[in-house]
Amino acid sequence: MTLNFPNRSRSYDAAAKRIRFVGHDGMFEVPFFLEIAALSAATATSGAEAEYLSAFDAERSSIQDVAREAYSHGRRNMYVLTRADFR
């Protein structure tokens, strides 16, 4: 199966400074976390939750592409995407 993102929901975890979103591989749910530092500096500067989520939405397609790439390297319980994953 391939990794899909049918659910567009995402949430901000202020304590960990990352955004949580979920992919699906068939019936399996695959949790992903995106570190705030991985968002483009131009789109997330104030530190506000709404701004981070808006920046995530604006970059959703590329974020999901990076998530698929990370997922293709082996199955894990969760994935944390960092700035290094976007280079």
Side-chain angles (χ1 to χ4, degrees):
M1 302 231 72
T2 60
L3 186 66
N4 294 301
F5 298 92
N7 184 347
R8 296 186 53 85
S9 69
R10 72 285 185 269
S11 61
Y12 176 60
D13 178 349
K17 296 186 178 172
R18 58 190 185 186
I19 296 172
R20 182 184 194 281
F21 63 106
V22 177
H24 292 270
D25 184 355
M27 64 183 217
F28 298 103
E29 187 174 275
V30 183
F32 287 90
F33 297 91
L34 174 70
E35 291 184 348
I36 293 304
L39 291 170
S40 98
T43 58
T45 57
S46 76
E49 177 179 349
E51 188 174 291
Y52 292 145
L53 295 176
S54 179
F56 178 92
D57 291 342
E59 299 178 32
R60 183 182 296 269
S61 180
S62 64
I63 292 168
Q64 290 174 343
D65 288 344
V66 170
R68 283 185 190 94
E69 178 66 24
Y71 185 72
S72 74
H73 293 294
R75 307 299 188 259
R76 293 185 282 191
N77 291 336
M78 64 175 242
Y79 298 82
V80 178
L81 305 178
T82 67
R83 184 177 288 194
D85 293 310
F86 290 84
R87 294 188 179 147

